[in-house]
Amino acid sequence: MLDKVIKQKLVVIGNGMAGIRTVEALLERAPDLYDITVFGSEPYGNYNRILLSPVLAGEKTVDDIMLNTVDWYEDNNITLRKGETISMIDRRTCEVVTEAGERVPYDRLLIATGSNPIMLPLPGKDLPGVIGFRDIYDVDRMIKASTDYRNAVVIGGGLLGLEAANGLMKRGMNVTVVHLLDTLMERQLDPVAGGLLRKSLEERGMVFKMPAQTQAILGEDRVTGVRFGDGTELPADLVVMAVGIRPNFELAKKAGLYCERGIVVSDTMQTYDGRIYAVGECVQHRRQTYGLVAPLFDQAKVCANHLAMKGFATYDGSVTSTKLKVTGIDLFSAGDFAPGPDKEEIVLQDANRGVYKRIILKDKKIVGAVLYGDTIDGPWYFQHLRDGTDVSHMRERLVFGAANLGDGGVSGQNSVAAMSDETEICGCNGVCKGAIVKAISEKKLFTLDDVRAHTKASSSCGSCTGLVEQVLAFTLGGDYSAAPKVKPLCKCTDHSHDDVRRVIVEQQLKTIPAVMRFMEWKTLNGCHSCRPALNYYLLATWPGEYRDDQQSRFINERVHANIQKDGTYSVVPRMWGGVTTPSELRAIADVAEKFNIPTVKVTGGQRIDLLGVKKEDLPAVWADLNDAGMVSGHAYAKGLRTVKTCVGSEWCRFGTQDSTGLGVKLEKFMWGSWTPAKVKLGVSGCPRNCAEATCKDVGVVCVDSGYEIHFAGAAGLHIKGTEFLTKVETEDECLEVIVALTQLYREEGWYLERMYKWCDRVGLEQIRKRVVDDVANRKALFARFAYSQQFAQTDPWAERASHGVDRNEFAPLAELELA
Amino acid sequence: MTQWIEIGALADIPRLGSRVVRTPGGNIAVFRTESDEVFALDDRCPHKGGPLSQGIVHNKRVTCPLHNFVIELASGQAVAPDEGCTHTHPAKVENGIVWLSVRQAAAVS
Ligand SMILES: Cc1cc2nc3c(=O)[nH]c(=O)nc-3n(C[C@H](O)[C@H](O)[C@H](O)COP(=O)(O)OP(=O)(O)OC[C@H]3O[C@@H](n4cnc5c(N)ncnc54)[C@H](O)[C@@H]3O)c2cc1C
Ligand code: SF4
Ligand code: SF4
Ligand code: FES
């Protein structure tokens, strides 16, 4: 029925990391703005180029490193033309031209053509067996060569060269690295760190020839060797050129766009032609070109912003940091570490541990850092570097890292704990700790994969994986476990709460052992986490049928009192709606004196708490309270606890309705019901809200014209105001809605999941639809609650005090008088 | 020499549950597993002295009701990562009767 809107056409040249990241960011901001077509020379979806090194080393497969599969393009209505190269941009007609001669029009164009490996102009450079290290094709050829041949020479001792050499070595080749200078990775490392790196690579079997200049590549039909400036030769069946990259801007240049060392762009990632944007390694911004993904992703964000016509972001350039991805070698480098007259250095060298750290300061700020052997503090230094923090106050201990500054503990985990929220964890994607923690807690993430999916952290080079895992562990506490897909109910099973609840109903499972057997529990009788959960699920699913298993109840619910730290108990009699009488108070006073109860205290839920009762006295205490007409207050229960009320229209000059009466009515109807976690209600007689109803699980605020029902508040470990559910006119409707809501929560909540968390998970609208809008459903929920109440509303105290239930529980088995 | 004392009927201890035996040296918790084995331990958690007899029993372990330390019934050892140990006492069942032998060392503490 919708008219098909003619969308603007966005064409992307280059199906690589920067281009597709821009498209992703664009889709997040403006999913329907463009018809998007992506051209890519390579015959794949978008993959993680960075991880070609682990693929070469045999630690990952090509499938592992796919970032956007062909399906992804389809799902997002993007036309992917893989394996097709653009040979010309016609700016006059706003078209791109494919190699096959097809013309494709654009309204906006994004150039993200990356760069090409520099192939030194040496004699023999075109021989078979001489390759660069840039794409899957190159890696395939290297892997093939490693099975057919023995000797490899890698020209270039930078990051790329060393990763190539390491991979080939892992594949069983003899590898010699030829480097022009006498320091490896001289752009990232100082001579000391370079020396340490060389030593540990040599220990692994890598051979170095440096400094050395390559003069010619030898061979007839295929490379057979390499000759150097000093006349020496090395045999070689494979030569990998890794001497650098050259931004790939020929296409742009031919189209008349202004280029220097790359396509020149403004702070908004626009080229000199306002319709044409460019991002990635092909770009030159403020005289800088980049060869690492972190800055490219920053560019992508800005570019997407402008493509989405939300033109406010600007790109101001990036500071970069580097890690070497050779398994087992920890190396980190950031900023500027060349010595200079105005710079100071702090150096720590521990030859035994193989640790070297050099921090370079200028004007009391960190300007560079080189870490070798112990890189855990890399992100921390990098953070201070980028923030320009004045570090003079921590100078003495700076080199020992975050953990030693008193703002953290000692282990890796603690150093994550000590990091500020702004500390960047994933350099590639610019994800800071705070964002990860937030995603973990808000989106309920439990695995590394989840975090990758939601935050992109650790989804590029993967060097930060360890850190991200630490953040996970630290945020989730004991809940973090390896990598389950859904969160299992507990360690005894792989099944989730939802699975268990569903299967109980579907399979008509009616005992804990039956559930455990059917769902193949991994432990004999479960544990203290799952048994109470299963007990609740069965109780809530089969009211009247399931026999409550006392041994699967937490002690408080088993003995109907609250255990205290010294092993005594506290006893809270019910006071309906917080209303009591002189005779009740007298009985409480008598009981307290008779049993020498040390503390009598008023609770936050308008009840009286008798603390310090000995376990064996409990039945007698209850008997006396029962005699005075009082019953258990369920202050210990995952169930209805208290209904807190104000005095309302009965007494208060502002009262609009009988809040006390309504509270009592709710409590009398709902007491005794078990719920996933405790439920507390509040009823206030007017919006002044003296019963603090708007931070309860369910709260009623009376107004002249009726009753506002709120729910999903919390005022414990977390503080959260309630959500408004609906407004009703009569007390009966009010009761019906609240009971139906509670029943829905009983049927769907996970054990120990408070109502506000359940609401977060399921969604307010979903709940409102089923409890408020769908009247038939509301009535059905109400009926189910009412049904289950007939089995729930027996006073557990009376059962135990006068009817001998669980008598054994309260008496010792024996008393011994030992000699 | 082990001196065995009769403390009561197995049936009086719930399966996957526990009962307490009072001694001048403090309470001893006697546990019964699902397969009717019995174990006796001082009723004091190595953490902060919580009454283990009040915990949830699973397999041959009990979870302390105060802060969820899990204790091995056979050895009294806390399950890692927690640390600590509770004294154990020999216990056995014969013809439905539970026998206990109180170790003096434990009873003193
Ligand atoms: C082995 C290796 C290891 C690396 N390790 C790291 C690292 O640890 N950390 C880090 O930050 N960076 C690393 N990098 C660099 C990082 O991969 C690049 O910075 C990043 O991939 C550049 O993204 P891009 O989109 O600009 O270019 P690319 O990802 O190269 O994408 C450009 C794409 O455009 C295509 N293309 C070019 N011209 C045309 C045309 N005319 N028509 C159609 N398609 C075209 C190309 O085929 C290519 O697929 C590494 C690179 C390699 C090769
Ligand atoms: S952390 Fe993150 S960092 Fe570093 S590179 Fe990654 S993915 Fe890249
Ligand atoms: S606030 Fe903490 S210390 Fe106080 S009663 Fe609650 S749990 Fe105990
Ligand atoms: S006292 Fe047992 S866990 Fe704390």
Side-chain angles (χ1 to χ4, degrees):
Chain A
M1 288 215 300
L2 283 172
D3 286 323
K4 194 166 160 78
V5 184
I6 309 230
K7 295 189 199 169
Q8 297 212 56
K9 295 182 189 61
L10 172 67
V11 170
V12 182
I13 309 176
N15 184 28
M17 297 186 74
I20 298 312
R21 175 52 65 90
T22 311
V23 171
E24 282 181 335
L26 171 63
L27 292 176
E28 269 173 31
R29 290 167 175 75
D32 299 316
L33 199 54
Y34 295 99
D35 265 331
I36 305 175
T37 305
V38 178
F39 286 93
S41 304
E42 295 185 69
Y44 309 98
N46 175 37
Y47 62 88
N48 190 339
R49 194 170 305 283
I50 300 180
L51 294 183
L52 287 176
S53 304
V55 171
L56 179 63
E59 291 159 2
K60 284 198 155 60
T61 66
V62 167
D63 283 345
D64 290 340
I65 68 168
M66 279 297 156
L67 292 172
N68 305 83
T69 59
V70 174
D71 292 340
W72 177 84
Y73 294 85
E74 254 173 47
D75 294 345
N76 288 286
N77 295 318
I78 296 169
T79 312
L80 171 62
R81 307 209 24 191
K82 57 186 166 73
E84 290 193 66
T85 301
I86 296 299
S87 58
M88 194 179 104
I89 303 168
D90 189 337
R91 286 170 54 206
R92 203 175 35 83
T93 59
C94 290
E95 287 170 323
V96 295
V97 185
T98 69
E99 268 183 338
E102 185 187 341
R103 291 182 155 261
V104 177
Y106 65 81
D107 296 303
R108 298 214 181 182
L109 181 66
L110 175 62
I111 305 177
T113 46
S115 52
N116 294 320
I118 294 177
M119 302 304 276
L120 295 173
L122 300 172
K125 75 174 169 58
D126 296 321
L127 283 171
V130 181
I131 52 189
F133 185 15
R134 182 69 195 175
D135 51 26
I136 292 184
Y137 180 62
D138 295 332
V139 172
D140 281 346
R141 284 190 295 168
M142 285 193 243
I143 295 175
K144 175 91 173 49
S146 73
T147 58
D148 301 348
Y149 302 100
R150 284 199 58 76
N151 298 315
V153 168
V154 175
I155 304 179
L159 184 104
L160 222 55
L162 294 180
E163 291 187 0
N166 178 61
L168 293 169
M169 208 167 65
K170 284 261 174 77
R171 296 219 172 241
M173 295 191 86
N174 299 326
V175 185
T176 305
V177 175
V178 181
H179 195 45
L180 193 58
L181 305 173
D182 57 5
T183 299
L184 290 174
M185 290 180 67
E186 74 285 350
R187 295 220 311 222
Q188 289 92 17
L189 299 184
D190 58 20
V192 181
L196 287 168
L197 174 62
R198 172 172 179 175
K199 188 161 147 272
S200 65
L201 289 170
E202 275 172 346
E203 277 163 11
R204 292 158 176 243
M206 209 178 278
V207 177
F208 292 92
K209 184 168 174 64
M210 56 194 275
Q213 178 146 30
T214 316
Q215 205 177 55
I217 295 171
L218 312 174
E220 305 258 302
D221 311 326
R222 181 183 173 91
V223 53
T224 56
V226 179
R227 186 188 311 125
F228 301 98
D230 60 4
T232 56
E233 289 181 9
L234 269 180
D237 315 299
L238 174 71
V239 173
V240 179
M241 288 237 204
V243 293
I245 53 171
R246 179 177 292 133
N248 185 7
F249 57 84
E250 295 315 313
L251 190 65
K253 200 169 178 181
K254 270 196 312 193
L257 295 172
Y258 182 63
C259 300
E260 289 175 1
R261 283 178 298 128
I263 306 168
V264 176
V265 293
S266 65
D267 287 357
T268 55
M269 305 315 293
Q270 269 162 314
T271 66
Y272 274 50
D273 178 337
R275 289 169 177 269
I276 305 181
Y277 292 75
V279 290
E281 285 185 344
C282 59
V283 151
Q284 176 183 333
H285 171 262
R286 296 196 191 170
R287 317 198 65 79
Q288 278 282 334
T289 60
Y290 294 99
L292 293 167
V293 296
L296 311 186
F297 288 176
D298 288 344
Q299 297 174 355
K301 257 188 247 171
V302 173
C303 184
N305 219 287
H306 289 278
L307 283 171
M309 316 220 176
K310 303 197 164 137
F312 49 80
T314 57
Y315 177 63
D316 308 320
S318 307
V319 195
T320 56
S321 66
T322 316
K323 285 187 119 194
L324 180 72
K325 303 188 301 301
V326 170
T327 308
I329 294 187
D330 288 324
L331 188 160
F332 177 92
S333 136
D336 169 15
F337 47 84
D342 49 350
K343 291 185 192 159
E344 303 172 79
E345 329 194 327
I346 307 177
V347 177
L348 175 133
Q349 197 162 3
D350 181 341
N352 273 341
R353 281 204 303 141
V355 169
Y356 170 75
K357 297 182 176 187
R358 181 155 157 255
I359 317 296
I360 299 92
L361 304 179
K362 187 175 164 181
D363 302 334
K364 302 177 182 164
K365 294 172 187 158
I366 299 178
V367 294
V370 179
L371 310 178
Y372 185 90
D374 174 1
T375 54
I376 188 86
D377 286 311
W380 186 72
Y381 292 123
F382 190 47
Q383 177 70 24
H384 287 309
L385 187 157
R386 300 206 314 175
D387 290 354
T389 317
D390 178 347
V391 293
S392 41
H393 67 284
M394 46 183 169
R395 210 193 130 116
E396 285 143 52
R397 282 166 303 158
L398 190 63
V399 74
F400 301 110
N404 280 283
L405 282 165
D407 56 357
V410 280
S411 68
Q413 169 137 348
N414 286 336
S415 76
V416 164
M419 284 176 184
S420 77
D421 277 355
E422 290 78 42
T423 306
E424 190 172 83
I425 301 277
C426 173
C428 297
N429 293 297
V431 187
C432 58
K433 177 187 152 192
I436 299 177
V437 171
K438 188 155 169 260
I440 292 170
S441 25
E442 285 188 0
K443 308 225 169 82
K444 308 209 166 37
L445 310 183
F446 282 92
T447 67
L448 188 61
D449 285 344
D450 287 348
V451 174
R452 284 186 178 140
H454 283 92
T455 66
K456 301 271 179 201
S458 151
S459 62
S460 295
C461 81
S463 305
C464 60
T465 304
L467 277 175
V468 174
E469 284 185 317
Q470 283 171 24
V471 176
L472 256 171
F474 146 82
T475 313
L476 297 174
D479 287 347
Y480 177 65
S481 58
K485 276 278 173 279
V486 287
K487 192 203 172 199
L489 194 151
C490 75
K491 289 191 293 296
C492 304
T493 178
D494 294 331
H495 299 291
S496 65
H497 286 265
D498 283 337
D499 283 347
V500 171
R501 295 209 76 163
R502 183 175 43 77
V503 170
I504 286 175
V505 177
E506 278 174 10
Q507 300 296 325
Q508 307 256 314
L509 303 175
K510 295 190 178 169
T511 65
I512 292 178
V515 177
M516 289 184 173
R517 228 173 300 123
F518 190 85
M519 300 196 79
E520 296 179 337
W521 237 244
K522 292 189 267 190
T523 49
L524 192 57
N525 330 110
C527 70
H528 58 269
S529 299
C530 56
R531 282 238 308 280
L534 293 181
N535 190 57
Y536 167 72
Y537 291 155
L538 290 163
L539 201 61
T541 312
W542 312 116
E545 265 183 272
Y546 175 68
R547 228 184 95 239
D548 203 339
D549 176 21
Q550 292 303 308
Q551 302 311 324
S552 296
R553 288 264 190 197
F554 181 62
I555 182 66
N556 290 355
E557 295 185 344
R558 188 166 0 122
V559 301
H560 297 273
N562 296 56
I563 195 165
Q564 302 299 316
K565 68 175 204 178
D566 60 354
T568 64
Y569 290 82
S570 80
V571 167
V572 182
R574 202 168 274 290
M575 281 179 183
W576 308 98
V579 181
T580 184
T581 63
S583 71
E584 281 183 357
L585 290 172
R586 205 169 288 121
I588 291 173
D590 288 344
V591 164
E593 280 179 355
K594 177 167 164 194
F595 294 93
N596 278 322
I597 294 172
T599 302
V600 182
K601 186 176 180 316
V602 175
T603 73
Q606 301 181 333
R607 306 295 137 108
I608 289 176
D609 194 355
L610 302 164
L611 291 128
V613 183
K614 292 196 234 23
K615 189 179 182 191
E616 60 271 25
D617 287 343
L618 284 172
V621 166
W622 295 336
D624 284 7
L625 292 171
N626 280 162
D627 285 346
M630 282 176 276
V631 295
S632 165
H634 286 90
Y636 45 81
K638 312 287 176 232
L640 181 83
R641 292 263 175 108
T642 54
V643 181
K644 186 171 174 175
T645 67
C646 73
V647 290
S649 57
E650 192 105 342
W651 292 96
C652 176
R653 63 201 163 107
F654 300 115
T656 60
Q657 311 281 355
D658 177 11
S659 49
T660 322
L662 175 59
V664 172
K665 202 182 225 178
L666 283 165
E667 193 162 347
K668 292 236 156 156
F669 194 86
M670 295 175 70
W671 75 273
S673 59
W674 300 103
T675 44
K678 63 184 168 190
V679 172
K680 295 182 178 178
L681 271 55
V683 185
S684 286
C686 83
R688 285 171 190 75
N689 196 12
C690 300
E692 291 156 358
T694 49
C695 61
K696 295 284 183 276
D697 295 287
V698 184
V700 179
V701 177
C702 302
V703 289
D704 267 332
S705 52
Y707 306 83
E708 287 177 10
I709 303 173
H710 302 253
F711 81 116
L717 228 39
H718 299 275
I719 304 213
K720 184 179 166 294
T722 44
E723 308 284 345
F724 173 75
L725 181 67
T726 187
K727 192 184 145 194
V728 295
E729 279 169 20
T730 65
E731 274 194 359
D732 285 346
E733 278 175 282
C734 186
L735 182 79
E736 185 174 284
V737 170
I738 290 175
V739 164
L741 172 71
T742 309
Q743 179 64 13
L744 189 65
Y745 167 58
R746 296 183 61 203
E747 292 175 8
E748 287 191 346
W750 295 347
Y751 188 66
L752 297 189
E753 180 180 52
R754 288 290 296 271
M755 207 180 252
Y756 71 97
K757 293 203 170 156
W758 166 65
C759 174
D760 262 4
R761 176 165 66 81
V762 182
L764 174 60
E765 277 317 310
Q766 270 297 319
I767 294 172
R768 183 179 289 140
K769 218 187 279 164
R770 288 180 292 170
V771 172
V772 180
D773 303 345
D774 184 342
V775 179
N777 194 49
R778 182 205 310 167
K779 295 207 182 298
L781 284 165
F782 182 89
R784 289 203 289 279
F785 186 92
Y787 175 76
S788 85
Q789 282 300 75
Q790 14 168 343
F791 311 102
Q793 289 192 327
T794 31
D795 176 30
W797 287 359
E799 283 181 319
R800 283 159 184 77
S802 328
H803 307 293
V805 172
D806 283 344
R807 187 180 298 129
N808 279 343
E809 178 74 55
F810 302 95
L813 181 62
E815 303 213 20
L816 302 183
E817 282 161 38
L818 297 181
Chain B
M1 199 194 75
T2 336
Q3 201 198 337
W4 291 102
I5 309 167
E6 180 184 332
I7 53 169
L10 179 68
D12 286 340
I13 308 174
R15 279 218 174 98
L16 293 177
S18 159
R19 295 286 301 278
V20 158
V21 173
R22 289 252 168 83
T23 81
N27 285 353
I28 294 176
V30 182
F31 296 92
R32 175 177 174 190
T33 66
E34 192 182 37
S35 52
D36 291 344
E37 276 181 279
V38 295
F39 295 97
L41 282 76
D42 279 4
D43 195 14
R44 289 178 54 79
C45 175
H47 179 220
K48 294 193 171 175
L52 296 175
S53 57
Q54 313 296 294
I56 289 180
V57 182
H58 41 104
N59 200 358
K60 293 184 194 177
R61 293 173 169 178
V62 62
T63 301
C64 175
L66 293 197
H67 317 94
N68 288 347
F69 266 45
V70 178
I71 309 293
E72 293 282 2
L73 295 179
S75 65
Q77 288 283 350
V79 174
D82 296 325
E83 286 172 13
C85 190
T86 295
H87 284 290
T88 60
H89 304 272
K92 64 178 179 185
V93 187
E94 271 169 15
N95 301 322
I97 300 297
V98 183
W99 297 79
L100 176 68
S101 162
V102 179
R103 281 207 183 115
Q104 293 301 51
V108 172
S109 66

